[in-house]
Amino acid sequence: MACAHNPATRKREVRFVSTKSEIAIGAQVKKEMLERIGEYDNPKLKSYVTSVGNNLVLVSERKNLAYDFTILDTSMVNAFAAPGGFIFVTRGLLQELKSEDELALVLGHEIGHVVALHGIKSLERQMGTQFLTVLAAIAVGTQDFPLASGLGT
């Protein structure tokens, strides 16, 4: 646990997940996405998306991350960011875009999620809720929660 400034808001926040762990989480998300959906095999298009994305990273508040831009091989129209600088766009989304400006808008939006730590904050909220649930179960000694039933006796 550490106190740090949120790069997007510049407000001090408590962080439970380190940048190193954030990157590991993002890498795991990428591995799972590639196993489930697969990467679109077009090196020229990948290079183009990466180039546009990296130009945006240069003016972002988290330039220190090694961003990874992946094109998923699906006709679904979507884009999303995973913690640690992992940005995903689908083949279907790229087919709908009409200009580099539109691509930059999509990628900038996803980079913004990484900068603002949205994925990590969501994970930390889930972890906090689970932790509080465990503490409450222990406090009331519920038999419905296996971990709590053996503690305090």
Side-chain angles (χ1 to χ4, degrees), residues 8-100:
T9 65
R10 294 188 172 77
K11 293 181 182 176
R12 289 186 64 76
E13 296 178 347
V14 176
R15 285 199 60 194
F16 296 98
V17 179
S18 69
T19 301
K20 183 178 178 180
S21 294
E22 179 188 356
I23 293 166
I25 291 165
Q28 182 62 35
V29 170
K30 179 178 179 177
K31 179 180 179 224
E32 291 174 15
M33 287 295 102
L34 294 181
E35 287 172 0
R36 289 172 53 199
I37 299 172
E39 187 168 7
Y40 184 57
D41 185 24
N42 184 326
K44 188 174 180 178
L45 186 57
K46 168 137 174 116
S47 177
Y48 173 66
V49 169
T50 299
S51 175
V52 172
N54 282 334
N55 283 334
L56 294 167
V57 167
L58 292 174
V59 295
S60 81
E61 290 86 354
R62 290 190 80 190
K63 300 178 207 24
N64 59 320
L65 291 176
Y67 284 77
D68 182 286
F69 298 90
T70 300
I71 303 170
L72 297 174
D73 192 11
T74 176
S75 60
M76 184 186 318
V77 177
N78 200 4
F80 63 95
F86 291 83
I87 309 293
F88 300 88
V89 295
T90 64
R91 174 179 42 82
L93 174 71
L94 293 175
Q95 290 170 338
E96 294 295 319
L97 299 178
K98 295 173 180 45
S99 69
E100 185 173 309

Coordinates of all heavy atoms in Angstrom, one line a residue, residues 8-100:
A8 N -4.1 11.5 -13.5 CA -5.1 12.2 -14.2 C -5.6 13.4 -13.4 O -5.8 14.5 -13.9 CB -6.2 11.3 -14.6
T9 N -5.9 13.1 -12.1 CA -6.5 14.1 -11.2 C -5.5 14.9 -10.4 O -5.8 15.9 -9.9 CB -7.5 13.4 -10.2 OG1 -6.8 12.6 -9.4 CG2 -8.6 12.7 -11.0
R10 N -4.3 14.3 -10.3 CA -3.2 14.9 -9.5 C -3.6 14.9 -8.0 O -2.9 15.6 -7.2 CB -2.8 16.3 -10.0 CG -2.1 16.2 -11.4 CD -1.5 17.5 -11.8 NE -0.8 17.4 -13.0 CZ -1.3 17.3 -14.2 NH1 -2.5 17.3 -14.4 NH2 -0.5 17.2 -15.3
K11 N -4.6 14.2 -7.6 CA -5.0 14.1 -6.2 C -4.3 13.0 -5.6 O -4.0 12.0 -6.2 CB -6.5 13.9 -6.1 CG -7.3 15.1 -6.5 CD -8.8 14.8 -6.3 CE -9.6 16.0 -6.8 NZ -11.1 15.7 -6.7
R12 N -4.0 13.1 -4.3 CA -3.3 12.0 -3.5 C -4.3 10.9 -3.3 O -5.5 11.2 -2.9 CB -2.7 12.5 -2.2 CG -1.5 13.4 -2.4 CD -0.8 13.8 -1.1 NE -0.3 12.7 -0.4 CZ 0.9 12.1 -0.6 NH1 1.6 12.5 -1.7 NH2 1.3 11.1 0.1
E13 N -3.9 9.7 -3.6 CA -4.7 8.5 -3.4 C -3.9 7.4 -2.8 O -2.7 7.3 -3.0 CB -5.3 8.0 -4.7 CG -6.2 9.0 -5.4 CD -6.7 8.5 -6.8 OE1 -6.1 7.5 -7.3 OE2 -7.6 9.1 -7.3
V14 N -4.6 6.5 -2.1 CA -3.9 5.3 -1.6 C -4.0 4.3 -2.7 O -5.1 4.1 -3.3 CB -4.7 4.8 -0.3 CG1 -4.0 3.5 0.1 CG2 -4.6 5.8 0.8
R15 N -2.9 3.7 -3.0 CA -2.8 2.6 -4.0 C -2.4 1.3 -3.4 O -1.4 1.3 -2.6 CB -1.8 3.0 -5.1 CG -2.3 4.1 -6.0 CD -1.6 4.1 -7.4 NE -1.7 2.9 -8.1 CZ -0.9 2.7 -9.2 NH1 0.0 3.5 -9.5 NH2 -1.0 1.5 -9.8
F16 N -3.2 0.3 -3.6 CA -2.9 -1.0 -3.1 C -2.1 -1.9 -4.1 O -1.5 -2.9 -3.7 CB -4.2 -1.7 -2.6 CG -4.9 -1.0 -1.5 CD1 -5.9 -0.1 -1.8 CD2 -4.5 -1.2 -0.2 CE1 -6.6 0.6 -0.8 CE2 -5.2 -0.5 0.8 CZ -6.2 0.4 0.5
V17 N -2.2 -1.5 -5.3 CA -1.6 -2.3 -6.4 C -0.4 -1.4 -7.0 O -0.6 -0.3 -7.5 CB -2.6 -2.6 -7.5 CG1 -2.0 -3.4 -8.7 CG2 -3.8 -3.4 -6.9
S18 N 0.7 -2.0 -7.0 CA 1.9 -1.3 -7.5 C 1.9 -1.3 -9.1 O 1.1 -2.0 -9.7 CB 3.2 -2.1 -7.1 OG 3.3 -3.3 -7.8
T19 N 2.7 -0.4 -9.6 CA 2.7 -0.3 -11.1 C 3.2 -1.7 -11.7 O 2.7 -2.1 -12.7 CB 3.7 0.8 -11.5 OG1 3.2 2.0 -11.0 CG2 3.8 0.9 -13.0
K20 N 4.2 -2.3 -11.0 CA 4.6 -3.6 -11.5 C 3.5 -4.7 -11.5 O 3.3 -5.4 -12.5 CB 5.8 -4.1 -10.6 CG 6.4 -5.4 -11.0 CD 7.6 -5.8 -10.0 CE 8.1 -7.1 -10.4 NZ 9.3 -7.5 -9.6
S21 N 2.7 -4.7 -10.4 CA 1.5 -5.6 -10.4 C 0.5 -5.2 -11.4 O -0.1 -6.1 -12.0 CB 0.9 -5.6 -9.0 OG 1.8 -6.1 -8.1
E22 N 0.3 -3.9 -11.6 CA -0.6 -3.4 -12.6 C -0.3 -3.9 -14.0 O -1.1 -4.4 -14.8 CB -0.6 -1.9 -12.6 CG -1.6 -1.2 -13.6 CD -1.4 0.3 -13.7 OE1 -0.6 0.9 -12.9 OE2 -2.0 0.9 -14.5
I23 N 1.0 -3.9 -14.4 CA 1.5 -4.4 -15.6 C 1.3 -5.9 -15.8 O 0.9 -6.4 -16.8 CB 3.0 -4.0 -15.9 CG1 3.1 -2.4 -16.0 CG2 3.6 -4.7 -17.1 CD1 4.5 -1.9 -15.9
A24 N 1.5 -6.6 -14.7 CA 1.3 -8.0 -14.7 C -0.1 -8.4 -14.9 O -0.4 -9.3 -15.6 CB 1.9 -8.6 -13.4
I25 N -1.0 -7.6 -14.3 CA -2.5 -7.9 -14.5 C -2.8 -7.6 -16.0 O -3.5 -8.4 -16.6 CB -3.3 -6.9 -13.6 CG1 -3.1 -7.4 -12.1 CG2 -4.8 -6.9 -13.9 CD1 -3.5 -6.4 -11.1
G26 N -2.3 -6.5 -16.5 CA -2.6 -6.2 -17.9 C -2.1 -7.3 -18.9 O -2.7 -7.7 -19.8
A27 N -0.9 -7.8 -18.6 CA -0.3 -8.8 -19.4 C -1.1 -10.1 -19.3 O -1.3 -10.8 -20.4 CB 1.1 -9.1 -18.9
Q28 N -1.7 -10.4 -18.2 CA -2.6 -11.6 -18.0 C -3.9 -11.4 -18.8 O -4.3 -12.3 -19.5 CB -2.9 -11.8 -16.6 CG -3.7 -13.1 -16.3 CD -3.1 -14.4 -16.8 OE1 -1.9 -14.5 -16.7 NE2 -3.9 -15.3 -17.3
V29 N -4.4 -10.2 -18.8 CA -5.6 -9.9 -19.6 C -5.3 -10.1 -21.1 O -6.1 -10.7 -21.8 CB -6.1 -8.4 -19.3 CG1 -7.2 -8.0 -20.3 CG2 -6.6 -8.3 -17.9
K30 N -4.2 -9.6 -21.5 CA -3.8 -9.8 -22.9 C -3.7 -11.2 -23.3 O -4.2 -11.7 -24.3 CB -2.5 -9.1 -23.2 CG -2.1 -9.3 -24.7 CD -0.8 -8.5 -25.1 CE -0.5 -8.8 -26.6 NZ 0.7 -8.1 -27.0
K31 N -3.0 -12.0 -22.4 CA -2.9 -13.5 -22.7 C -4.3 -14.1 -22.8 O -4.5 -14.9 -23.8 CB -2.1 -14.1 -21.5 CG -1.9 -15.6 -21.7 CD -1.1 -16.1 -20.5 CE -1.0 -17.6 -20.7 NZ -1.2 -18.4 -19.5
E32 N -5.2 -13.8 -21.9 CA -6.5 -14.4 -22.0 C -7.3 -13.9 -23.2 O -8.0 -14.7 -23.9 CB -7.3 -14.0 -20.7 CG -6.7 -14.7 -19.5 CD -7.4 -14.3 -18.2 OE1 -8.4 -13.7 -18.2 OE2 -6.8 -14.6 -17.1
M33 N -7.1 -12.6 -23.6 CA -7.8 -12.2 -24.8 C -7.3 -12.8 -26.1 O -8.1 -13.2 -27.0 CB -7.7 -10.6 -25.0 CG -8.5 -9.8 -24.0 SD -10.3 -10.0 -24.2 CE -10.7 -11.1 -22.9
L34 N -6.0 -13.0 -26.1 CA -5.4 -13.7 -27.3 C -5.8 -15.2 -27.4 O -6.1 -15.7 -28.5 CB -3.9 -13.5 -27.3 CG -3.4 -12.1 -27.5 CD1 -1.9 -12.1 -27.5 CD2 -4.0 -11.5 -28.8
E35 N -6.0 -15.8 -26.2 CA -6.4 -17.2 -26.2 C -7.9 -17.3 -26.6 O -8.3 -18.2 -27.3 CB -6.2 -17.8 -24.8 CG -4.8 -18.1 -24.4 CD -4.6 -18.5 -23.0 OE1 -5.6 -18.6 -22.2 OE2 -3.4 -18.8 -22.6
R36 N -8.7 -16.4 -26.1 CA -10.1 -16.4 -26.4 C -10.5 -15.9 -27.8 O -11.4 -16.5 -28.4 CB -10.9 -15.6 -25.3 CG -10.9 -16.3 -24.0 CD -11.4 -15.5 -22.8 NE -12.8 -15.0 -23.1 CZ -13.3 -14.0 -22.5 NH1 -12.6 -13.4 -21.5 NH2 -14.5 -13.6 -22.7
I37 N -9.9 -14.8 -28.2 CA -10.3 -14.2 -29.4 C -9.3 -14.3 -30.5 O -9.6 -14.5 -31.7 CB -10.7 -12.7 -29.2 CG1 -11.8 -12.6 -28.2 CG2 -11.0 -12.0 -30.5 CD1 -12.1 -11.2 -27.7
G38 N -8.0 -14.1 -30.2 CA -6.9 -14.1 -31.2 C -6.6 -12.7 -31.7 O -7.4 -11.8 -31.6
E39 N -5.4 -12.6 -32.1 CA -4.9 -11.3 -32.6 C -5.1 -11.2 -34.2 O -4.8 -12.2 -34.8 CB -3.4 -11.0 -32.3 CG -2.9 -9.7 -32.6 CD -1.6 -9.4 -32.0 OE1 -1.0 -10.2 -31.4 OE2 -1.2 -8.2 -32.1
Y40 N -5.5 -10.1 -34.7 CA -5.6 -9.9 -36.1 C -4.3 -9.8 -36.7 O -3.4 -9.0 -36.3 CB -6.5 -8.6 -36.4 CG -6.8 -8.4 -37.8 CD1 -7.4 -9.4 -38.6 CD2 -6.4 -7.2 -38.4 CE1 -7.7 -9.2 -39.9 CE2 -6.7 -7.0 -39.8 CZ -7.3 -8.0 -40.5 OH -7.6 -7.7 -41.8
D41 N -4.0 -10.7 -37.7 CA -2.7 -10.8 -38.3 C -2.5 -9.9 -39.5 O -2.7 -10.2 -40.6 CB -2.4 -12.3 -38.7 CG -1.0 -12.5 -39.2 OD1 -0.1 -11.7 -38.8 OD2 -0.8 -13.4 -40.0
N42 N -2.1 -8.6 -39.2 CA -1.9 -7.6 -40.2 C -0.8 -6.7 -39.6 O -1.1 -5.7 -39.0 CB -3.2 -6.9 -40.5 CG -3.0 -5.9 -41.7 OD1 -1.9 -5.3 -41.8 ND2 -4.1 -5.7 -42.5
P43 N 0.5 -7.0 -39.9 CA 1.6 -6.2 -39.3 C 1.5 -4.8 -39.7 O 1.8 -3.9 -38.8 CB 2.8 -6.9 -39.8 CG 2.4 -8.3 -40.2 CD 0.9 -8.2 -40.6
K44 N 1.1 -4.5 -40.9 CA 1.1 -3.1 -41.3 C 0.0 -2.3 -40.5 O 0.3 -1.2 -40.1 CB 0.7 -3.0 -42.8 CG 0.9 -1.6 -43.4 CD 0.7 -1.6 -44.9 CE 0.8 -0.3 -45.5 NZ 0.7 -0.2 -47.0
L45 N -1.2 -2.9 -40.3 CA -2.2 -2.2 -39.5 C -1.8 -2.1 -38.1 O -2.1 -1.1 -37.4 CB -3.5 -3.0 -39.7 CG -4.8 -2.4 -39.1 CD1 -5.0 -0.9 -39.6 CD2 -6.0 -3.3 -39.3
K46 N -1.2 -3.2 -37.5 CA -0.7 -3.1 -36.2 C 0.3 -2.0 -36.0 O 0.2 -1.3 -35.0 CB -0.1 -4.5 -35.7 CG 0.6 -4.4 -34.4 CD 0.4 -5.5 -33.5 CE 1.2 -5.4 -32.3 NZ 0.5 -5.3 -31.1
S47 N 1.2 -1.9 -36.9 CA 2.2 -0.8 -36.8 C 1.5 0.6 -36.9 O 1.9 1.5 -36.1 CB 3.2 -0.9 -38.0 OG 4.1 0.1 -38.0
Y48 N 0.5 0.7 -37.7 CA -0.2 2.0 -37.8 C -0.9 2.3 -36.5 O -0.8 3.5 -36.0 CB -1.2 1.9 -39.0 CG -2.1 3.1 -39.1 CD1 -1.6 4.4 -39.4 CD2 -3.5 3.0 -38.9 CE1 -2.5 5.4 -39.6 CE2 -4.4 4.0 -39.0 CZ -3.8 5.3 -39.4 OH -4.7 6.4 -39.5
V49 N -1.7 1.4 -36.0 CA -2.4 1.6 -34.7 C -1.4 1.9 -33.6 O -1.6 2.9 -32.8 CB -3.2 0.4 -34.3 CG1 -3.8 0.5 -32.9 CG2 -4.4 0.2 -35.3
T50 N -0.3 1.2 -33.5 CA 0.7 1.4 -32.5 C 1.4 2.8 -32.7 O 1.6 3.5 -31.7 CB 1.8 0.3 -32.6 OG1 1.2 -0.9 -32.3 CG2 2.9 0.6 -31.6
S51 N 1.6 3.2 -33.9 CA 2.2 4.5 -34.1 C 1.3 5.7 -33.7 O 1.7 6.6 -33.0 CB 2.5 4.7 -35.6 OG 3.0 6.0 -35.9
V52 N 0.0 5.6 -34.0 CA -1.0 6.6 -33.6 C -1.1 6.6 -32.1 O -1.0 7.6 -31.4 CB -2.3 6.3 -34.2 CG1 -3.4 7.3 -33.7 CG2 -2.3 6.5 -35.8
G53 N -1.1 5.4 -31.5 CA -1.2 5.3 -30.0 C 0.0 5.8 -29.3 O -0.1 6.6 -28.4
N54 N 1.2 5.5 -29.8 CA 2.4 6.0 -29.2 C 2.6 7.5 -29.3 O 3.1 8.1 -28.4 CB 3.6 5.3 -29.8 CG 3.8 3.9 -29.2 OD1 3.4 3.6 -28.1 ND2 4.4 3.0 -29.9
N55 N 2.0 8.1 -30.4 CA 2.1 9.6 -30.5 C 1.2 10.2 -29.4 O 1.5 11.3 -28.8 CB 1.6 10.0 -31.8 CG 2.7 9.9 -32.9 OD1 3.9 9.8 -32.6 ND2 2.3 9.7 -34.1
L56 N 0.1 9.5 -29.0 CA -0.8 10.0 -28.0 C -0.1 9.8 -26.6 O -0.2 10.7 -25.7 CB -2.1 9.3 -28.0 CG -2.9 9.6 -29.3 CD1 -4.1 8.7 -29.4 CD2 -3.4 11.1 -29.3
V57 N 0.6 8.7 -26.4 CA 1.2 8.4 -25.2 C 2.3 9.5 -24.9 O 2.4 9.9 -23.7 CB 1.9 7.0 -25.2 CG1 2.9 6.8 -24.0 CG2 0.9 5.9 -25.2
L58 N 2.9 10.0 -25.9 CA 3.9 11.1 -25.7 C 3.4 12.3 -25.0 O 4.2 13.0 -24.3 CB 4.5 11.5 -27.0 CG 5.4 10.5 -27.7 CD1 5.8 10.9 -29.1 CD2 6.6 10.1 -26.9
V59 N 2.1 12.6 -25.1 CA 1.5 13.7 -24.4 C 0.6 13.3 -23.2 O -0.1 14.1 -22.7 CB 0.7 14.6 -25.4 CG1 1.7 15.2 -26.4 CG2 -0.4 13.8 -26.1
S60 N 0.7 12.1 -22.8 CA -0.1 11.6 -21.7 C 0.7 11.8 -20.4 O 1.9 12.1 -20.4 CB -0.5 10.1 -21.9 OG 0.6 9.3 -21.5
E61 N 0.0 11.6 -19.3 CA 0.6 11.8 -18.0 C 1.3 10.5 -17.5 O 1.8 10.5 -16.4 CB -0.5 12.2 -16.9 CG -1.0 13.6 -17.1 CD -2.2 13.7 -18.1 OE1 -2.5 12.7 -18.8 OE2 -2.7 14.8 -18.3
R62 N 1.2 9.4 -18.3 CA 1.9 8.2 -17.9 C 2.8 7.7 -19.1 O 2.6 6.6 -19.5 CB 0.9 7.1 -17.5 CG 0.2 7.5 -16.2 CD -0.6 6.3 -15.6 NE 0.3 5.3 -15.0 CZ -0.1 4.1 -14.6 NH1 -1.4 3.7 -14.8 NH2 0.7 3.3 -14.0
K63 N 3.7 8.5 -19.4 CA 4.6 8.2 -20.5 C 5.6 7.0 -20.1 O 6.2 6.4 -20.9 CB 5.5 9.4 -20.9 CG 4.8 10.6 -21.3 CD 5.8 11.7 -21.6 CE 5.4 13.1 -21.5 NZ 4.3 13.5 -20.7
N64 N 5.7 6.8 -18.8 CA 6.6 5.8 -18.3 C 6.2 4.4 -18.6 O 7.1 3.5 -18.4 CB 6.8 6.0 -16.8 CG 5.5 5.8 -16.0 OD1 4.5 6.3 -16.5 ND2 5.6 5.2 -14.9
L65 N 5.0 4.1 -18.9 CA 4.5 2.8 -19.2 C 4.9 2.4 -20.7 O 4.9 3.3 -21.6 CB 3.0 2.7 -19.1 CG 2.5 2.8 -17.7 CD1 0.9 2.7 -17.7 CD2 3.0 1.6 -16.8
A66 N 5.2 1.1 -20.9 CA 5.4 0.6 -22.2 C 4.1 0.2 -22.7 O 3.6 -1.0 -22.5 CB 6.4 -0.5 -22.2
Y67 N 3.3 1.0 -23.4 CA 2.0 0.7 -23.9 C 2.1 -0.4 -24.9 O 3.0 -0.5 -25.7 CB 1.3 2.0 -24.4 CG 0.8 2.9 -23.4 CD1 1.7 3.7 -22.7 CD2 -0.5 2.9 -23.0 CE1 1.3 4.6 -21.7 CE2 -1.0 3.8 -22.0 CZ -0.1 4.6 -21.4 OH -0.5 5.4 -20.4
D68 N 1.0 -1.2 -24.9 CA 0.9 -2.3 -25.9 C -0.4 -2.2 -26.6 O -1.5 -2.2 -25.9 CB 1.0 -3.6 -25.1 CG 1.0 -4.9 -25.9 OD1 -0.1 -5.2 -26.4 OD2 2.0 -5.5 -26.1
F69 N -0.4 -2.1 -27.9 CA -1.6 -1.9 -28.7 C -1.9 -3.2 -29.4 O -1.0 -3.7 -30.2 CB -1.5 -0.7 -29.6 CG -1.3 0.6 -28.9 CD1 -0.1 1.0 -28.6 CD2 -2.4 1.3 -28.5 CE1 0.1 2.3 -27.9 CE2 -2.3 2.5 -27.8 CZ -1.0 3.0 -27.5
T70 N -3.1 -3.8 -29.2 CA -3.4 -5.1 -29.8 C -4.7 -5.0 -30.6 O -5.7 -4.4 -30.1 CB -3.5 -6.2 -28.7 OG1 -2.3 -6.3 -28.0 CG2 -3.9 -7.5 -29.3
I71 N -4.7 -5.6 -31.8 CA -5.9 -5.6 -32.6 C -6.5 -7.0 -32.4 O -5.8 -8.0 -32.8 CB -5.7 -5.4 -34.1 CG1 -5.0 -4.0 -34.2 CG2 -7.0 -5.4 -34.9 CD1 -4.5 -3.7 -35.7
L72 N -7.7 -7.1 -31.9 CA -8.3 -8.4 -31.7 C -9.1 -8.8 -32.9 O -9.7 -8.0 -33.6 CB -9.3 -8.4 -30.5 CG -8.6 -8.1 -29.1 CD1 -9.6 -7.9 -28.0 CD2 -7.6 -9.2 -28.8
D73 N -9.0 -10.1 -33.3 CA -9.6 -10.6 -34.5 C -11.1 -10.9 -34.3 O -11.4 -12.1 -34.2 CB -8.8 -11.8 -35.0 CG -9.2 -12.2 -36.4 OD1 -9.9 -11.4 -37.1 OD2 -8.8 -13.2 -36.9
T74 N -11.9 -9.9 -34.3 CA -13.4 -10.1 -34.2 C -14.1 -9.0 -34.9 O -13.5 -7.8 -34.9 CB -13.8 -10.2 -32.7 OG1 -15.2 -10.3 -32.6 CG2 -13.4 -9.0 -31.9
S75 N -15.2 -9.3 -35.4 CA -16.0 -8.2 -36.1 C -16.8 -7.3 -35.1 O -17.3 -6.3 -35.5 CB -17.0 -8.9 -37.1 OG -17.9 -9.7 -36.4
M76 N -16.7 -7.7 -33.8 CA -17.4 -6.9 -32.8 C -16.7 -5.5 -32.9 O -15.5 -5.3 -33.0 CB -17.2 -7.5 -31.4 CG -17.9 -6.7 -30.3 SD -17.5 -7.4 -28.7 CE -17.5 -9.1 -28.9
V77 N -17.5 -4.4 -32.7 CA -17.0 -3.1 -32.7 C -16.8 -2.7 -31.2 O -17.7 -2.4 -30.5 CB -18.0 -2.1 -33.4 CG1 -17.6 -0.7 -33.3 CG2 -18.3 -2.5 -34.8
N78 N -15.5 -2.6 -30.8 CA -15.2 -2.4 -29.4 C -13.7 -2.0 -29.3 O -12.9 -2.2 -30.1 CB -15.5 -3.6 -28.6 CG -15.7 -3.3 -27.1 OD1 -15.7 -2.1 -26.7 ND2 -15.8 -4.3 -26.3
A79 N -13.5 -1.3 -28.2 CA -12.1 -1.0 -27.7 C -12.1 -1.0 -26.2 O -13.2 -0.6 -25.6 CB -11.6 0.3 -28.3
F80 N -11.0 -1.3 -25.6 CA -11.0 -1.3 -24.1 C -9.5 -1.2 -23.7 O -8.6 -1.6 -24.5 CB -11.7 -2.4 -23.5 CG -11.2 -3.8 -23.8 CD1 -10.3 -4.4 -22.9 CD2 -11.6 -4.5 -24.9 CE1 -9.8 -5.7 -23.2 CE2 -11.1 -5.7 -25.2 CZ -10.2 -6.4 -24.3
A81 N -9.3 -0.8 -22.5 CA -8.0 -0.8 -21.9 C -7.9 -1.7 -20.7 O -8.9 -1.8 -19.9 CB -7.7 0.7 -21.4
A82 N -6.8 -2.3 -20.5 CA -6.5 -3.1 -19.4 C -5.4 -2.4 -18.6 O -4.7 -1.6 -19.1 CB -6.0 -4.5 -19.7
P83 N -5.3 -2.7 -17.3 CA -4.3 -2.0 -16.5 C -2.9 -2.2 -17.1 O -2.6 -3.1 -17.8 CB -4.4 -2.7 -15.1 CG -5.8 -3.2 -15.1 CD -6.1 -3.6 -16.5
G84 N -2.0 -1.2 -16.8 CA -0.6 -1.3 -17.2 C -0.3 -0.9 -18.6 O 0.8 -1.1 -19.1
G85 N -1.3 -0.3 -19.3 CA -1.0 0.2 -20.6 C -1.3 -0.7 -21.7 O -0.9 -0.5 -22.9
F86 N -2.2 -1.7 -21.5 CA -2.6 -2.6 -22.6 C -3.9 -2.1 -23.2 O -4.9 -2.0 -22.5 CB -2.8 -4.0 -22.0 CG -1.5 -4.6 -21.6 CD1 -0.9 -4.3 -20.3 CD2 -0.8 -5.5 -22.4 CE1 0.3 -4.9 -20.0 CE2 0.4 -6.0 -22.1 CZ 1.0 -5.7 -20.8
I87 N -3.8 -1.8 -24.5 CA -5.0 -1.2 -25.2 C -5.4 -2.2 -26.3 O -4.6 -2.6 -27.0 CB -4.6 0.2 -25.8 CG1 -3.9 1.1 -24.8 CG2 -5.8 0.8 -26.5 CD1 -4.8 1.6 -23.7
F88 N -6.7 -2.4 -26.3 CA -7.2 -3.4 -27.3 C -8.2 -2.7 -28.2 O -9.1 -1.9 -27.7 CB -7.9 -4.5 -26.6 CG -7.0 -5.3 -25.7 CD1 -6.8 -4.9 -24.4 CD2 -6.3 -6.4 -26.2 CE1 -6.0 -5.6 -23.5 CE2 -5.5 -7.1 -25.3 CZ -5.3 -6.7 -24.0
V89 N -8.1 -2.9 -29.5 CA -9.2 -2.5 -30.5 C -9.5 -3.7 -31.3 O -8.7 -4.6 -31.5 CB -8.7 -1.3 -31.4 CG1 -8.5 0.0 -30.5 CG2 -7.5 -1.6 -32.2
T90 N -10.7 -3.7 -31.8 CA -11.1 -4.9 -32.6 C -11.0 -4.5 -34.1 O -11.1 -3.4 -34.5 CB -12.6 -5.3 -32.2 OG1 -13.5 -4.2 -32.6 CG2 -12.7 -5.6 -30.8
R91 N -10.9 -5.6 -34.8 CA -10.9 -5.5 -36.3 C -12.2 -4.8 -36.7 O -12.2 -3.9 -37.6 CB -10.7 -6.9 -36.9 CG -10.9 -6.9 -38.4 CD -10.7 -8.3 -38.9 NE -11.4 -9.4 -38.2 CZ -12.7 -9.7 -38.3 NH1 -13.4 -9.0 -39.1 NH2 -13.2 -10.7 -37.6
G92 N -13.3 -5.2 -36.1 CA -14.6 -4.6 -36.5 C -14.6 -3.1 -36.2 O -15.2 -2.3 -37.1
L93 N -14.0 -2.6 -35.1 CA -14.0 -1.2 -34.9 C -13.2 -0.5 -35.9 O -13.6 0.6 -36.5 CB -13.4 -0.9 -33.5 CG -13.2 0.6 -33.2 CD1 -14.6 1.3 -33.0 CD2 -12.4 0.8 -32.0
L94 N -12.0 -1.0 -36.2 CA -11.1 -0.4 -37.2 C -11.8 -0.3 -38.6 O -11.6 0.7 -39.3 CB -9.8 -1.1 -37.3 CG -8.9 -1.1 -36.1 CD1 -7.7 -2.0 -36.2 CD2 -8.5 0.4 -35.7
Q95 N -12.6 -1.2 -38.9 CA -13.3 -1.2 -40.2 C -14.4 -0.1 -40.3 O -14.7 0.4 -41.3 CB -14.0 -2.5 -40.5 CG -13.0 -3.6 -40.8 CD -13.6 -5.0 -40.9 OE1 -14.6 -5.3 -40.3 NE2 -12.9 -5.9 -41.5
E96 N -14.8 0.3 -39.1 CA -15.9 1.4 -39.0 C -15.3 2.8 -39.0 O -16.0 3.8 -39.4 CB -16.7 1.2 -37.8 CG -17.6 0.0 -37.8 CD -18.6 0.0 -38.9 OE1 -19.2 1.0 -39.1 OE2 -18.8 -1.1 -39.5
L97 N -14.0 2.9 -38.6 CA -13.4 4.3 -38.5 C -13.1 4.8 -39.9 O -12.8 4.1 -40.9 CB -12.1 4.2 -37.8 CG -12.2 3.7 -36.3 CD1 -10.8 3.6 -35.7 CD2 -13.2 4.6 -35.5
K98 N -13.3 6.1 -40.0 CA -13.2 6.8 -41.3 C -11.9 7.7 -41.4 O -11.6 8.2 -42.5 CB -14.4 7.6 -41.6 CG -15.7 6.8 -41.8 CD -16.9 7.6 -41.9 CE -18.2 6.8 -42.0 NZ -18.3 5.7 -41.2
S99 N -11.2 7.8 -40.3 CA -10.0 8.7 -40.4 C -9.1 8.4 -39.3 O -9.4 7.7 -38.3 CB -10.4 10.2 -40.3 OG -10.9 10.5 -39.0
E100 N -7.8 8.9 -39.4 CA -6.9 8.7 -38.3 C -7.3 9.5 -37.1 O -7.0 9.1 -36.0 CB -5.5 9.3 -38.8 CG -4.4 9.0 -37.8 CD -3.0 9.4 -38.3 OE1 -2.7 8.9 -39.4 OE2 -2.3 10.1 -37.6

